[in-house]
Amino acid sequence: MDYDPDFDDHAPPSFDRMKNVDRDVEAKGFNPGLIVLLLVGGLLLLFLVGNYVLYIYAQKTLPPKKKKPVSKKKLKKERLKQGVSAPGE
């Protein structure tokens, strides 16, 4: 039972299509998913670096926060704890 191929002079049609596959892969270029990933990653990195730069700039240029004034009630309690009587009592 010998097999005599009918395609002695050329490749079968299914293999002819495979020749074009190599050319198509090179012609496409970058994967669209890779482009989107790089774009989103770049924007995220730019956002984080920008926030860090603004934070450093604000630390250098803004004055320190003002402390809340201590209420008279708290001052009176502190003095009583320390044993100093409040004036007028």
Side-chain angles (χ1 to χ4, degrees):
M1 206 183 211
D2 292 322
Y3 175 71
D4 293 328
D6 295 333
F7 303 103
D8 288 336
D9 57 339
H10 63 280
S14 62
F15 289 108
D16 282 341
R17 283 186 240 137
M18 295 302 287
K19 289 180 185 176
N20 295 335
V21 170
D22 292 337
R23 290 186 215 137
D24 290 344
V25 170
E26 292 176 17
K28 284 185 180 178
F30 288 110
N31 183 0
L34 179 66
I35 293 174
V36 171
L37 184 67
L38 289 174
L39 183 67
V40 171
L43 290 174
L44 180 65
L45 187 65
L46 183 68
F47 176 75
L48 293 174
V49 170
N51 276 345
Y52 179 73
V53 169
L54 286 174
Y55 173 76
I56 296 299
Y57 176 74
Q59 292 295 317
K60 290 181 180 178
T61 57
L62 292 177
K65 285 186 174 180
K66 293 181 181 179
K67 293 182 179 179
K68 286 184 179 179
V70 182
S71 68
K72 292 181 181 179
K73 271 186 177 179
K74 285 187 180 179
L75 281 175
K76 189 175 178 180
K77 283 183 181 180
E78 294 277 333
R79 288 186 188 145
L80 287 175
K81 282 181 185 177
Q82 293 176 359
V84 178
S85 63
E89 288 186 11

